[in-house]
Each structure stands twice: as C-alpha cells, then as structure tokens.
C-alpha cells in the first residue's frame, strides 16, 4: 500500500484533519494507495503558500524561469515509465498509451520554457499629445488548476507548463480517482529546484476541496478540465468573485464519413475515435455519421474490427481495450447502453459488461455499437464517456452539417473525404474547436485546443495557451508635465 501526502509550500504534509481516501486499481479492484484528503484549511494553506511565492517567482527573469522548466522537462523524461505505471494503476488505461503520453509530457515544459522570454508588450500609437503608451503582459497571481482522471499528467502539463512560464504560482487539485501521479510528480518539481510554494497540490473531492479552491479569495484564475456540469458549477462560483476561468469540458463529437473517403482509414479512424482509451476521452468521436450509400458496408467492417479487439490487462502490450476507470463511470456507461436500447437504437455489437478478461472486480464494458440512432436520442446528445458508439446515417453534405452541429457541445469533429473543397467547406462550417480531416484525435503542444458551446471557454496549448495565464496592463507616461485643466477628462 502506498501513502501519498499533500504537497504544500515545498513539503509533503498530512491533511490538517488527518483524513485519507482510497485509490482503487480498476483492473484488479484492489485499493493500492491512501491519499491525504485535504479540506478548506489545507486549501487555505496551499493558496497562502502560493501567494507568498508569487512575488519571487513572477519577479524572476523569464529566461531563468525557463531554465527551471527545462530542468523539470529533463527529469520528467527520466521518470516517464514510472509515471505511466502509476497512471495505469489509477485509471486502468493501456500502459502503451500512458507511456507514450508520459514520454510526451516534457514537450509541454520545453515548449513553454521557450515561450517564457518571448512574450513582448506593444507600443500603441495613442492619439494623445505628449503621451507615450505601452503594454505589459503580467501573470494573474495564484491560479487553481483542476484536472480530470482520464489523462491526469497530460492535463496537468497543458496547465502547469504555461502558467509557470508566465510567472503565476499554482495550486493543483487532481481528480479524486487519480491523485497519485500528480503527487508523485511533485517529487520531480522539487528535484528540479522549483522554489517552495510555486506549485502546491491539494487532493480530495470536487464538492469540498475543488469548490473551496475555486471560492478562495486569493485565487485569481481557474483552469478547469472536467464535465460540463462540474464546469458550470465552477463558472458560477468563480463569477461571484469575478474570477477568470478557462474550462475544458465534455463533448459529443461527430466523426463524419463521406462516400468518397478511403474506407479502411475511415474505419480505423472511427475505431480509434470511440474505442481508444475505452472511449474515455473528451474528444471521443461518439457520433459516427455515415453517408447512407456506404452505411451498411462500413458498419459491417467496423463491427468486424471492433469484435476482434482484445479486452484485458492494461499492462499487456497486446491488449486493445482496458477497463473503465472507476465504478461510477462503469455504472454510468451501462445505464446509457440501457437508455439507447429503450430509445430503439439497434445494438449490433456488445451492449453490456464484459466478463472473464481479468479479475472478479475488473470494470470491463464490451465495445458497443448502436445503429439506427437518431440525433435527437439521448444516446446521441449526451456524453457517455465510454466505449459506446452511435451510428447516424446522412444523405449529403448539408444534412451531415445539420446533424453534426445540432448539439450543445462543440469540442471536435472528424471529416473523412477525398474532396479537397469539401475539406475546407466542412472545416469552416463545423461549430467546434478542432476539426480533423482524414485523421482523428491529433493533439500537439504547438496548436490551440479547446471547445465551443458547452465544451468550454478558452484554449490550451500553443501561444494561446500561454496567453490564458497572462493579463494585459496598459501604461501611459506623459512626456511633458505642463499643468492641464484637471476638471476636463482628456
Ligand atoms: P468531473 O467534472 O467529475 O471532475 C473533474 C475535476 O473537477 C475533478 O478533479 C473533480 O474533483 C473536480 N470537481 C468536480 N466538481 C467540482 C466543483 N464543483 N468545483 C471544483 N472542482 C470540482 O469530471 P471527470 O469525471 O473527472 O472527467 C470526465 C469529464 O472530463 C468528461 O466530461 C470529459 O469530457 C471531460 N474532459 C475534458 C477534457 C478537455 O480537455 N476538454 C479532457 C479530459 C476530460
């Protein structure tokens, strides 16, 4: 059994109330770690430490902050395999995916280290006589970084790397299902020589620790990844303090296949869209829109490939589908499968729990495909966050667009076609934050990522991701000090 303490002001500490909570391995069903359970007192200690560290960290020349982030990146690379194993133990995702993800983490810290000293102000040519104006980009102060359980360290990298590069100090709240990797990561932060108080971690549940962090008066900005319902609560609490918010929320992304597409690539894209990570990704292509002329043939091949997927131990290199990450999520997925059946969708693959691939308490769900789905069904409109695909037929481009955009979410979309004009038309008219053409789920530290509509507010990654953690100050300097009439605003 592993024990993880909170990380506050450069030290690993017990929760003030001495409480802990369990972390369970979704493959073995065993409790493998006890995590210190923070409360409002710990949140206050963490925010106070971050506030105290802010003048020093923001006052450090950006190229020196960058050096520390580069050191952190090197140390993260050394620990990638170790961190990946912890992620698998906590969220049950494939080791093959998590190790690639953990080896990729350092790219965020290097990229934002590179940007740290390239943020420049402007000199607006103001219309006033004898007046010089310039702008400065300044950090907010203490930022709250709240992450979900599906890719804990990747989401942390999206937030922590730019916020630190910009000169903010941070309090991190990882998901209650996957706190261990973030706390383990703090050992690397410490080893990299990041000064105490610059990064702090409070573990616990959203309703107590997360909301106390969002509401804390000394938190200036919140960067949140999670469901749209929790995101809405965060937004509402933040509004009371007029705090800045970036929200990376859920999705119900359309993956649209036209009759002229390369069929085999599109089938693999559809599979990867919904069954990679057992469907537990915000960008899952959970609505597969198929042009009617290819519908039956495509579904036949799709079912054939999905049926062959190996379900089993996430650590095994041959496994394709690993368990669902936690019990509430497992129950939610099974409920949605029932809902789809009751709504009249036709289950052509799977449709229930999967037994016999692991331990008694393994949380496996069969890869599930429904055809005959209408876009107004709940299975088409609500995020399942699991290996459940709804297939919706369409007639032509306009029809596909109408279906694709008729949804409250707007995170991403896939388009499969060989028609170059259509690639441009579709990517312009889809109401989403990311469009993939003849590919699915590419994400890079170089390119902005985020949602429209209920999928979120703001962008992560790329230069926009850095700007999320900076605010603009304008400075006017009078170049002559002649007295003026003080009662007239100039
Ligand atoms: P969740 O909303 O239940 O929890 C996310 C985080 O928010 C956790 O750390 C949780 O403790 C915290 N939290 C919950 N309620 C809170 C509150 N009222 N105040 C402050 N913090 C609170 O989401 P989840 O189940 O952990 O993750 C799955 C969801 O995350 C899915 O909807 C998925 O689409 C979304 N997600 C989005 C992205 C993205 O980048 N857009 C990436 C991954 C996951």
């Amino acid at each position: 059994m592993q024990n993880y303490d909170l990380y506050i002001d450069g030290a690993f500490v017990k929760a003030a109330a001495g409480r802990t909570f369990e972390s369970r391995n979704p493959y073995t069903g065993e409790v493998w770690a006890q995590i210190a359970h923070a409360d409002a007192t710990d949140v206050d200690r963490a925010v106070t430490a971050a506030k105290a560290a802010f003048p020093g960290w923001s006052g450090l020349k950006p190229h020196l902050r960058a050096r520390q982030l580069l050191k952190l990146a090197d140390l993260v690379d050394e620990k990638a395999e170790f961190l990946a194993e912890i992620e698998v133990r906590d969220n049950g995702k494939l080791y093959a995916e998590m190790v690639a993800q953990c080896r990729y983490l350092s790219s965020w810290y290097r990229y934002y280290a590179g940007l740290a000293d390239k943020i420049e102000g402007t000199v607006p040519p103001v219309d006033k006589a004898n007046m010089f104006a310039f702008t400065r980009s300044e950090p907010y102060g203490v930022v709250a970084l709240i992450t979900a359980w599906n890719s804990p360290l990747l989401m942390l990298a999206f937030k922590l790397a730019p916020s630190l590069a910009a000169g903010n100090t941070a309090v991190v709240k990882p998901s209650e299902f996957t706190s261990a990797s973030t706390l383990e990561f703090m050992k690397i932060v410490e080893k990299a020589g990041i000064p105490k108080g610059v990064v702090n971690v409070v573990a616990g549940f959203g309703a107590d620790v997360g909301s106390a962090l969002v509401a804390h008066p000394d938190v200036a900005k919140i960067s949140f990844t999670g469901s749209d319902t929790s995101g809405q609560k965060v937004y509402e609490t933040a509004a009371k303090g007029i705090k800045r918010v970036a929200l990376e929320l859920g999705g119900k992304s359309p993956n649209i296949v036209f009759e002229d597409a390369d069929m085999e690539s599109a089938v693999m894209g559809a599979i990867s869209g919904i069954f990679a990570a057992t469907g537990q990704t915000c960008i899952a292509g959970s609505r597969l829109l198929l042009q009617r002329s290819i519908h039956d043939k495509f579904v036949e091949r799709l079912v054939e490939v999905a049926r062959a997927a190996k379900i089993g131990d996430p650590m095994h290199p041959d496994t394709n589908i690993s368990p669902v990450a936690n019990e509430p999520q497992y129950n939610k997925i099974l409920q949605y499968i029932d809902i789809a059946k009751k709504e009249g969708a036709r289950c052509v693959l799977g449709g229930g729990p999967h037994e016999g691939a692991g331990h008694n308490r393994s949380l496996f769900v069969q890869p599930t495909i429904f055809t005959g789905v209408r876009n107004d069904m709940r299975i088409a409109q609500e995020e399942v966050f699991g290996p459940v695909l709804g297939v919706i037929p369409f007639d032509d481009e306009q029809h596909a667009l109408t279906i694709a955009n008729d949804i409250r979410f707007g995170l991403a979309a896939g388009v499969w076609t060989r028609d170059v004009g259509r690639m441009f038309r579709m990517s312009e008219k889809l109401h989403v934050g990311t469009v993939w053409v003849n590919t699915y789920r590419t994400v890079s530290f170089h390119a902005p990522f985020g949602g429209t509509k209920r999928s979120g507010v703001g962008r992560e990654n790329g230069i926009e991701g850095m700007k999320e953690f900076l605010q603009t100050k304008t400075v006017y300097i009078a170049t002559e000090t002649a007295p003026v009439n003080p009662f007239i605003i100039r």
Side-chain angles (χ1 to χ4, degrees):
M1 179 74 64
Q2 296 275 320
N3 289 299
Y4 286 96
D5 289 336
L6 311 176
Y7 186 68
I8 298 177
D9 206 15
F12 289 93
V13 293
K14 306 269 175 235
R19 292 186 303 162
T20 59
F21 63 97
E22 296 174 342
S23 206
R24 194 178 286 276
N25 179 328
Y27 178 60
T28 63
E30 282 164 5
V31 174
W32 75 277
Q34 291 286 344
I35 316 280
H37 186 167
D39 61 14
T41 308
D42 301 297
V43 169
D44 187 54
R45 278 161 68 204
V47 175
T48 303
K51 191 178 175 188
F54 179 68
W57 183 249
S58 59
L60 200 62
K61 287 288 177 196
H63 73 287
L64 298 177
R65 285 202 297 268
R67 260 187 222 170
Q68 301 215 347
L69 290 178
L70 290 172
K71 187 153 182 216
L72 177 64
D74 289 344
L75 293 171
V76 172
D77 278 341
E78 283 174 21
K79 290 278 184 188
E81 292 75 17
F82 173 66
L83 293 170
E85 275 181 38
I86 296 176
E87 299 271 54
V88 175
R89 224 170 286 154
D90 251 354
N91 69 11
K93 282 170 77 174
L94 297 181
Y95 178 74
E97 179 189 339
M98 297 321 280
V99 78
Q101 201 173 87
C102 287
R103 287 180 185 141
Y104 197 24
L105 296 177
S106 59
S107 300
W108 268 262
Y109 294 95
R110 292 202 180 93
Y111 174 78
Y112 286 107
L115 265 185
D117 61 358
K118 287 159 200 76
I119 299 296
E120 297 173 351
T122 60
V123 180
V126 286
D127 59 324
K128 314 292 178 201
N130 305 323
M131 197 67 75
F132 183 84
F134 66 96
T135 64
R136 297 165 49 86
S137 285
E138 297 183 341
Y140 283 97
V142 180
V143 294
L145 312 180
I146 301 177
T147 54
W149 45 260
N150 57 340
S151 294
L153 291 179
L154 186 67
M155 278 173 231
L156 181 65
F158 284 15
K159 299 177 191 309
L160 188 62
S163 61
L164 293 188
N168 301 277
T169 54
V171 178
V172 182
K173 211 298 278 168
S175 165
E176 52 274 33
F177 295 110
T178 55
S179 303
S181 60
T182 300
L183 287 161
E184 196 68 52
F185 194 86
M186 291 306 115
K187 295 181 187 160
I188 307 176
V189 165
E190 197 171 69
K191 204 168 165 197
I194 309 272
K196 67 178 187 141
V198 170
V199 189
N200 308 270
V201 180
V202 286
F205 294 77
D208 51 8
V209 182
S211 57
L213 180 58
V214 172
H216 196 290
D218 288 328
V219 168
K221 165 142 193 166
I222 299 107
S223 175
F224 173 89
T225 299
S227 63
D228 61 322
T229 38
S230 306
Q232 185 177 330
K233 285 186 195 142
V234 167
Y235 216 174
E236 284 164 3
T237 308
K240 292 190 185 125
I242 320 283
K243 295 181 184 185
R244 276 61 185 159
V245 174
L247 302 171
E248 293 292 340
L249 309 177
K252 193 76 192 178
S253 300
N255 207 354
I256 309 165
V257 187
F258 288 93
E259 60 190 4
D260 68 333
D262 176 326
M263 279 308 127
E264 197 57 15
S265 306
V267 167
M268 296 310 157
I271 295 275
S272 138
I274 191 63
F275 298 129
T278 316
Q280 303 168 114
T281 61
C282 52
I283 50 181
S286 48
R287 289 186 299 154
L288 179 64
L289 275 54
L290 293 181
Q291 195 151 17
R292 221 174 278 279
S293 51
I294 56 162
H295 178 280
D296 293 355
K297 225 173 130 202
F298 196 98
V299 169
E300 194 182 317
R301 177 74 182 129
L302 189 71
V303 168
E304 185 185 20
V305 177
R307 202 190 293 284
K310 285 207 176 85
I311 302 176
D313 182 350
M315 289 303 288
H316 198 286
D318 291 341
T319 304
N320 303 125
I321 300 210
S322 60
V324 168
N326 54 66
E327 211 162 333
Q329 189 56 32
Y330 175 78
N331 293 331
K332 180 182 164 193
I333 296 169
L334 295 178
Q335 268 169 18
Y336 268 105
I337 290 176
D338 277 350
I339 289 169
K341 287 176 181 168
K342 286 190 187 121
E343 284 179 310
R346 199 162 77 87
C347 187
V348 294
L349 184 72
H354 179 86
E355 317 264 327
H359 299 251
N360 280 343
R361 299 197 55 178
S362 294
L363 301 172
F364 284 110
V365 176
Q366 295 171 335
T368 297
I369 300 176
F370 285 102
T371 57
V373 172
R374 285 192 327 270
N375 201 46
D376 62 353
M377 290 178 174
R378 286 185 66 191
I379 197 63
Q381 289 290 320
E382 297 173 21
E383 187 185 42
V384 177
F385 218 60
V388 183
L389 180 66
V391 181
I392 306 174
F394 68 87
D395 299 316
D396 56 22
E397 199 173 307
Q398 187 49 50
H399 191 204
L401 271 171
T402 304
I403 298 170
N405 287 334
D406 180 18
I407 191 101
R408 294 177 309 158
F409 295 107
L411 193 56
V415 178
W416 299 83
T417 181
R418 287 193 174 101
D419 180 333
V420 176
R422 181 183 279 147
M423 294 176 194
F424 282 92
R425 287 192 299 275
M426 291 295 288
S427 51
E428 183 186 333
K429 290 178 184 156
L430 284 162
H431 302 159
V432 295
T434 299
V435 177
W436 292 292
V437 179
N438 294 333
T439 183
Y440 204 83
R441 75 168 60 252
T442 311
V443 173
S444 162
F445 53 89
H446 283 121
F449 174 79
T452 63
K453 303 196 271 186
R454 255 191 109 77
S455 290
V457 175
R459 291 292 177 267
E460 296 191 316
N461 303 340
I463 295 170
E464 285 194 46
M466 179 89 162
K467 288 188 176 160
E468 284 287 344
F469 291 100
L470 290 163
Q471 53 191 339
T472 302
K473 177 186 280 175
T474 302
V475 181
Y476 288 101
I477 297 183
T479 54
E480 292 206 5
T481 51
V484 292
N485 182 343
F487 299 104
I488 295 176
I489 295 171
R490 299 188 306 146

